[in-house]
């Protein structure tokens, strides 16, 4: 039996391989400063800066107790939580950090202080990619908190909103595939930002 092809027409022994393209997730353009600035006064409250061995490509820095950085660190195995201290590593490239705060007024004030500490140049060899604001309660934020969150977000390159996740509160296992769309989108953007040459990062 034959496959029905014309035997007098030659065919290549193997088809040419099809090129594959890896899609790069588009990210938010920076809406705030991407580096420290001159003339920014030091905040009255500052997080400590500690010497650490070079961390992974990114770490989550909780700006206050209970911010949620430990939960976020479970989404990607090699993105650890830095606790409540700025990691300083003797490395040729800066440590990339995402600030993490609750959406309460006290949490946002702590985020503002941490962003000001970084903007004033008091945190050496650290690049802040943005701020993750973790919901402190179900439902829509009251307007005063929304307005203040927008103000605080203006002090960092970009912000992400992490919604209230009841399963996290109950201590159930945390995994990226099961996370809400907003969280998966945030991780996709951070994956892109941590790639060499991504917009808004330091090579």
């Amino acid at each position: 039996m034959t496959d029905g092809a014309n035997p007098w027409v030659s065919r290549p022994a193997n088809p040419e391989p099809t090129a594959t393209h890896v899609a790069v997730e588009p990210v938010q353009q920076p809406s705030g400063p991407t580096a420290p600035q001159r003339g920014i006064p030091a905040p009255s409250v500052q997080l400590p800066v500690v010497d650490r061995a070079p961390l992974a490509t990114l770490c989550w820095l909780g700006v206050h107790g209970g911010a949620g950085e430990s939960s976020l660190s479970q989404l990607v195995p090699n993105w650890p939580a830095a606790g409540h201290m700025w990691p300083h590593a003797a490395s040729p490239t800066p440590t990339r950090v995402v600030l993490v705060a609750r959406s309460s007024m006290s949490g946002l004030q702590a985020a503002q202080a941490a962003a000001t500490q970084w903007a004033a140049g008091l945190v050496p060899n650290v690049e802040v990619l943005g701020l993750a604001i973790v919901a402190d309660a179900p439902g829509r934020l009251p307007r005063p908190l929304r307005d203040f969150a927008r103000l605080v977000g203006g002090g960092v390159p970009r912000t992400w909103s992490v919604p209230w996740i009841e399963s996290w509160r109950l201590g159930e296992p945390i995994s990226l595939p099961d996370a809400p769309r907003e969280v998966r989108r945030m991780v996709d953007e951070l994956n892109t930002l941590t790639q060499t040459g991504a917009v808004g990062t330091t090579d």
Side-chain angles (χ1 to χ4, degrees):
M1 295 182 64
T2 67
D3 59 5
N6 189 334
W8 303 108
V9 177
S10 62
R11 291 176 296 173
N14 296 304
E16 292 293 326
T18 302
T20 58
H21 300 279
V22 177
V24 175
E25 187 71 21
V27 299
Q28 304 175 53
Q29 291 300 311
S31 58
T34 59
Q37 310 142 67
R38 292 187 176 187
I40 302 295
S44 57
V45 177
Q46 299 183 28
L47 295 174
V49 179
V50 297
D51 290 325
R52 292 185 177 176
L55 297 176
T57 54
L58 178 148
C59 63
W60 308 95
L61 193 155
V63 298
H64 60 85
E69 76 279 1
S70 296
S71 296
L72 293 176
S73 71
Q74 298 179 54
L75 295 171
V76 181
N78 62 339
W79 292 357
H84 313 299
M85 298 174 289
W86 293 99
H88 174 258
S91 170
T93 56
T95 301
R96 287 167 174 159
V97 164
V98 175
L99 304 179
V100 184
R102 289 286 175 180
S103 59
S104 62
M105 182 58 72
S106 61
L108 293 172
Q109 288 171 340
Q112 185 180 46
T116 303
Q117 183 181 0
W118 165 73
L122 302 175
V123 187
N125 207 30
V126 167
E127 179 187 6
V128 172
L129 296 183
L131 166 66
I133 301 176
V134 182
D136 68 321
R140 185 177 172 84
L141 279 180
R143 183 169 182 176
L145 290 178
R146 292 201 309 272
D147 292 345
F148 190 54
R150 191 175 301 113
L151 174 67
V152 174
V156 293
R158 50 188 66 79
T159 59
W160 298 274
S161 295
V162 178
W164 178 262
I165 305 173
E166 187 68 21
S167 61
W168 292 13
R169 184 191 186 200
L170 297 175
E172 296 179 9
I174 296 174
S175 68
L176 184 58
D178 296 330
R181 178 178 56 84
E182 298 93 333
V183 174
R184 288 183 275 111
R185 168 69 180 175
M186 174 181 65
V187 170
D188 285 344
E189 288 194 27
L190 290 170
N191 268 318
T192 299
L193 285 169
T194 53
Q195 294 174 14
T196 302
V199 175
T201 65
T202 302
D203 291 335

